[in-house]
Amino acid sequence: MQPKLKFLDRYLTLWIFLAMVVGVGLGYFFPNMSIVTDSLSLGTTNIPLAIGLILMMYPPLAKVDYSLLPKAFKDKKVIGISLLLNWVVGTVLMFGLAVLFLRNEPDYMTGLILIGLARCIAMVIVWSDLAKANREYTAFLVALNSIFQILSYSFLVWLFINVLPEKLGLATYNVSVSMKDVTESVLIFLGIPFLAGFLSRYFLVKSKGIEWYNRIFVPKISPITLYALLFTIILMFSLKGDKILELPMDVVKIAIPLIIYFLLMFFVSFFISKSLKVPYERNASIAFTATGNNFELAIAVAIAVFGIHSPQAFVGVIGPLVEVPVLILLVRASLWLKKRYYN
C-alpha cells in the first residue's frame, strides 16, 4: 500500500505561512513584543526560544537507530556515494547558488550557506517512505549524517563563511562567524537533543521493546518538531511587524536558489546512483537524503550566532516553507523515474 503524508506534514507549508501571518500580526498589534522577548533572555540566549529549538531537534534524533551504522558500512559503494553527495556536492552547490543569487545581500547569502551545510535528518524518512525507498538504508544514512553533523558542522561553517569567500575574492562584505560560537550552538542545539534522543531510545527500547518504541513512543513525540518550529516562527515574525511589506519579495529571493538546489541535488543524485547500478530502493534513499536539509539546525545556529532578529534566521525559516511542496513533487518524480528506468 502506497504510504500517505500525514495531515500535519501534508499541510506543513500552510502551517508555516499561517505562523508567519500570526507572528507579524502580533508584532503589528503588540509593538512591545520585543521588550517582552528580550526580558526572557539570559545573556544573548532567549530561554523560551532555546527550549523550543531543542524540542524541535529531539524527535528526529530519537527516531534514529544508531546501532545500524556498523551494518551500513559494509555497503561501501552506497555509503561513499551518499557521503560525496551530502558533504561535498551538496555543500558546494548551495555555496555556489548563495553566491550567485545573493552575493549583494551577504546576510541572506550566509543564511543560505548555513542551510546547505546542515544535512537532512528529519523529513527525509517521510520522503523516502512516500517514494518507496529502502527505509533501513534511509535510517543508515540519517544515522551517518547525524554523527557527521555533530563532528563537522562548526568546521564547515568556518570554512564556507570565513575562509572560502575571501580565498575566492568574494570578501566584499563584512560577515564572519566565530567557530567557538557555532561549536557552542551545535553542542547545545544538536548535542543536547542528540544525547536525549540516544538515551531515551536506549533505555525505552530496553525496558519496553522496539515494537512499543516505534509504534507508540515515536508517533507521540513526532508532532513536537512541528509545534516547536511554528512557535519559533511566530516568535521570530512577531519581531518583524515593521518589515511586513518587505517580506514577500525577500521570500521570493530566497526561494529561487533553494528550488534550484532541491531540483539539481535530486536529479544529479538519482542519475549518478543509477549509472553506478544502485537498485531503485537504495537510489531513492540516497537521493532524498542528499536533497533535504536540516533546517532546524540551520535556524538554531543562525539565531544563536546572529540573533533572533537576524536575516540569517529569517532565511532558515523560509527553508521548510519552500522544501515541502518541492519535495512532494520530487516524490512523484521519483516514482515516475522508477517506472521509466527500473520496471
Side-chain angles (χ1 to χ4, degrees):
M1 182 178 172
Q2 172 66 31
K4 291 184 178 179
L5 208 57
K6 291 178 183 175
F7 178 77
L8 286 173
D9 294 330
R10 190 184 313 138
Y11 296 105
L12 181 57
T13 297
L14 175 62
W15 309 141
I16 293 170
F17 178 75
L18 289 176
M20 289 176 175
V21 173
V22 170
V24 170
L26 285 172
Y28 183 80
F29 291 107
F30 301 98
N32 290 330
M33 279 285 291
S34 59
I35 298 170
V36 176
T37 301
D38 292 340
S39 71
L40 298 171
S41 296
L42 183 64
T44 57
T45 304
N46 180 268
I47 303 303
L49 189 64
I51 293 169
L53 291 168
I54 289 169
L55 286 174
M56 188 163 57
M57 291 297 299
Y58 169 70
L61 289 163
K63 293 176 189 177
V64 176
D65 185 355
Y66 297 96
S67 66
L68 297 173
L69 275 175
K71 186 179 174 185
F73 280 111
K74 291 178 182 175
D75 193 336
K76 292 183 172 57
K77 181 164 75 171
V78 170
I79 294 300
I81 295 167
S82 182
L83 289 176
L84 176 69
L85 289 167
N86 273 286
W87 298 99
V88 179
V89 177
T91 53
V92 171
L93 176 61
M94 189 71 95
F95 176 80
L97 290 169
V99 170
L100 182 65
F101 284 91
L102 297 168
R103 186 173 178 176
N104 295 326
E105 299 192 58
D107 292 331
Y108 285 165
M109 184 182 85
T110 304
L112 209 61
I113 293 170
L114 287 175
I115 290 172
L117 301 177
R119 311 315 301 165
C120 191
I121 60 171
M123 285 292 285
V124 65
I125 294 191
V126 175
W127 307 129
S128 295
D129 280 355
L130 291 170
K132 299 182 180 176
N134 184 315
R135 190 168 201 190
E136 190 180 51
Y137 258 83
T138 303
F140 293 157
L141 300 177
V142 166
L144 196 64
N145 280 335
S146 300
I147 301 294
F148 260 74
Q149 215 143 243
I150 289 173
L151 296 176
S152 66
Y153 190 76
S154 54
F155 168 75
L156 290 172
V157 169
W158 170 79
L159 177 66
F160 277 86
I161 293 175
N162 288 357
V163 177
L164 280 183
E166 185 180 351
K167 295 291 183 189
L168 296 172
L170 302 171
T172 55
Y173 57 90
N174 187 26
V175 175
S176 63
V177 297
S178 159
M179 197 167 171
K180 176 177 167 289
D181 289 344
V182 177
T183 303
E184 282 178 6
S185 2
V186 169
L187 289 175
I188 293 169
F189 297 114
L190 189 54
I192 291 173
F194 172 82
L195 186 62
F198 180 84
L199 292 175
S200 60
R201 184 180 187 92
Y202 178 79
F203 287 111
L204 288 174
V205 167
K206 201 172 181 180
S207 61
K208 298 277 194 176
I210 189 69
E211 188 77 10
W212 177 90
Y213 189 85
N214 287 332
R215 285 177 176 254
I216 307 294
F217 184 71
V218 167
K220 289 265 186 201
I221 64 169
S222 291
I224 293 172
T225 294
L226 174 60
Y227 301 145
L229 174 63
L230 296 180
F231 168 75
T232 303
I233 291 168
I234 289 170
L235 188 54
M236 287 175 60
F237 277 78
S238 70
L239 306 174
K240 294 184 177 291
D242 57 331
K243 294 187 175 179
I244 187 168
L245 295 176
E246 297 172 26
L247 298 180
M249 284 313 300
D250 284 4
V251 170
V252 172
K253 279 184 209 169
I254 296 161
I256 290 170
L258 278 172
I259 292 169
I260 294 170
Y261 172 85
F262 293 137
L263 294 175
L264 283 177
M265 279 305 295
F266 177 80
F267 288 108
V268 166
S269 300
F270 188 93
F271 284 106
I272 284 176
S273 296
K274 180 186 169 294
S275 70
L276 294 171
K277 302 191 181 341
V278 174
Y280 171 80
E281 290 74 17
R282 295 183 185 183
N283 188 348
S285 293
I286 294 168
F288 282 104
T289 307
T291 303
N293 289 86
N294 186 351
F295 293 100
E296 297 89 348
L297 177 61
I299 293 169
V301 171
I303 290 172
V305 175
F306 297 102
I308 189 172
H309 304 266
S310 68
Q312 289 88 346
F314 175 68
V315 173
V317 168
I318 301 307
L321 182 73
V322 176
E323 183 190 43
V324 174
V326 175
L327 268 289
I328 287 172
L329 291 174
L330 287 175
V331 165
R332 293 181 184 175
S334 185
L335 292 170
W336 182 86
L337 289 167
K338 181 187 179 189
K339 288 180 185 175
R340 175 77 173 79
Y341 292 107
Y342 284 93
N343 288 344

